[in-house]
Structure formats: structure tokens, C-alpha cells
Amino acid sequence: MRYSIIIPLCHGVQPSNQQRQELDSLLGHMDHEVLCKFSGCPTIEHAIVAGVRAARGQAVAVIEPGERYPVAQLAGMLRGLSRADFVCGRRRRQGWPKLAERMARLPRWLLLGLDARDPGCLFWAARREVFNDLQLVPRFVRHLPALVARQGFRVDSTYVEERAMARMAGVAAPAGQSNAPHVASANLLSAWWTCHKLRRAERAASLQVDAAHVAQTAAFISGQGNASEPYQAKSA
């Protein structure tokens, strides 16, 4: 299997030599390509969309640029594609950060269902076919697990570890200066509306199938009834 690894280096984001060295060490014996030149993209989300469209592998993986996540965890995600079509990362939380994360998760569960995992974690792997019929736009990038599950694919999640330096930087930074990923509420509502339209389309298709089945059954019963009527000779 060929792997396409996307490091979404958008405009203003500097590459990490340590991350690239770890990636080359991990995937040195595998058939893979690394897509990381997206300087023309204004945001990480735009860079991910461009990377997925350019990917040529049977499996696609995304890892946030920088040194937040140890690259060695990517191997477990790629192995997870043997039992799922999309494997998304979830960051571990403890104490008050865990409580805050649980509270923030409730609106996502209500709008997108239980497949809404950790939209702030840009570390995942997927089979290429999950994107074939998916409307892939930047505002949906952080809610892909719910959209992929709505299309009938298998979605799984796994815990990923953050390096202590990156984790503490996200917690200790003043408001507005944190390097932790930001997830816009408008994007959540847009993803919910897309899932809602998919549900309506599924329901309409199911009703059409049921109606066709009822019509076929009625026609069969009517035909059997006509065939069972006794023959009556016409009187002269």
C-alpha cells in the first residue's frame, strides 16, 4: 500500500527538521510520498484540503506541522486502517482541562453525534476512498470523522500523546496567544447542516426503496390473484 503523508505547512508556518527526520526514519522502508509545500494556502485547513486533493496513495495521513506530536504514533494509526476507514487522534486530558474538554464536547455530540471526537487534533489517517464523494472544503476539515461516518464508513479513534513542551504552551499561554488549535463555532454549524442534508437524502432514498418494494409486492399479489381465478366458459 502506498501512503500519502500530509504536513500542512501553510503560509507563515515553518517546517520542523526534527519532525521530518522522525518521519523519514519511520517510513524509510515503506512506499510513501510526503506532501508539505503549501505556502500559497492561508490556513492549515486550506493546506489539508490541497494535500488530500494532490494525494496519490491508497491511504492518506495528516500530522500537524511542528513538534507537538511524536511521529512514531503514526505507525499505530496506519495499522488501525486494517479495521477502520478513518482513524482520528484524541489528545489525553487530565484534571480541569479534561472537564473543560468534556463540556466542550457536548455541543458537538448534540449536533454531529458521537463520532465528533477531538476537532483540535490534526493527527489522523484515512483510506483514500472516504474522500471520493465527500464535499471537502476547509471549514469541514476539523469535523471529518462525523462526516465520514455519515457516509457509512467505519470511524475509529485512538489516544495520541503530545510532547510536554507543546502541551504546557497551550495551557499556560495568555488568552489570544495560545498555540493550541482554534475551532470556529460557525464551522461546527456548517458541518451539522451538511450532516442534516445527508440524513434527509438517506431518508428520501430509503422511502423510495420502500415504495418500490411495496409496488412490486402489490403487483405480484395481484398477478397471483388473477392466475388463481377459475376459468368460466362463456354461455352461448
Side-chain angles (χ1 to χ4, degrees), residues 111-112 133-137 139-140 146-147 149-151 187-206:
L111 294 176
L112 300 180
D133 299 321
L134 183 65
Q135 183 186 8
L136 188 62
V137 292
R139 65 178 181 273
F140 292 160
L147 296 174
R150 178 50 54 186
Q151 294 191 111
N187 293 344
L188 174 61
L189 294 175
S190 181
W192 166 79
W193 180 245
T194 299
C195 286
H196 177 68
K197 291 192 294 184
L198 289 173
R199 291 191 192 99
R200 292 180 60 183
E202 289 176 359
R203 192 177 300 114
S206 177

Side-chain angles (χ1 to χ4, degrees), residues 10-213:
C10 60
H11 178 71
V13 177
Q14 298 298 323
S16 167
N17 292 330
Q18 178 181 351
Q19 184 182 52
R20 188 56 188 265
Q21 291 173 2
E22 292 178 355
L23 195 59
D24 291 340
S25 176
L26 177 67
L27 301 175
H29 62 285
M30 298 182 182
D31 184 12
H32 71 281
E33 62 177 351
V34 178
L35 306 173
C36 59
K37 297 180 179 180
F38 305 103
S39 58
C41 297
T43 66
I44 286 181
E45 290 82 2
H46 285 81
I48 291 175
V49 171
V52 171
R53 291 175 178 171
R56 294 296 178 265
Q58 288 83 19
V60 179
V62 168
I63 181 170
E64 180 181 321
E67 300 174 4
R68 177 181 297 274
Y69 303 108
V71 177
Q73 301 175 100
L74 179 60
M77 284 193 173
L78 296 178
R79 287 195 299 268
L81 294 179
S82 62
R83 63 179 183 275
D85 302 303
F86 192 104
V87 180
C88 55
R90 298 171 60 186
R91 296 168 294 175
R92 291 185 184 274
R93 292 289 182 262
Q94 295 180 350
W96 288 108
K98 182 175 182 179
L99 177 61
E101 196 274 335
R102 289 288 179 88
M103 294 177 63
R105 191 188 302 175
L106 290 176
R108 298 196 299 268
W109 279 0
L110 291 174
L111 294 176
L112 300 180
L114 298 179
D115 290 303
R117 310 290 183 171
D118 183 1
C121 182
L122 291 178
F123 194 4
W124 48 260
R127 293 183 176 273
R128 187 67 180 83
E129 55 264 26
V130 305
F131 303 107
N132 290 344
D133 299 321
L134 183 65
Q135 183 186 8
L136 188 62
V137 292
R139 65 178 181 273
F140 292 160
V141 164
R142 295 186 182 272
H143 304 290
L144 282 176
L147 296 174
V148 169
R150 178 50 54 186
Q151 294 191 111
F153 292 101
R154 300 165 298 171
V155 175
D156 196 6
S157 65
T158 182
Y159 281 110
V160 294
E161 302 295 339
E162 296 177 285
R163 286 193 170 94
M165 184 180 299
R167 184 170 60 250
M168 294 306 298
V171 173
Q177 300 180 13
S178 172
N179 64 349
H182 172 68
V183 182
S185 300
N187 293 344
L188 174 61
L189 294 175
S190 181
W192 166 79
W193 180 245
T194 299
C195 286
H196 177 68
K197 291 192 294 184
L198 289 173
R199 291 191 192 99
R200 292 180 60 183
E202 289 176 359
R203 192 177 300 114
S206 177
L207 290 176
Q208 290 179 356
V209 171
D210 292 343
H213 180 70

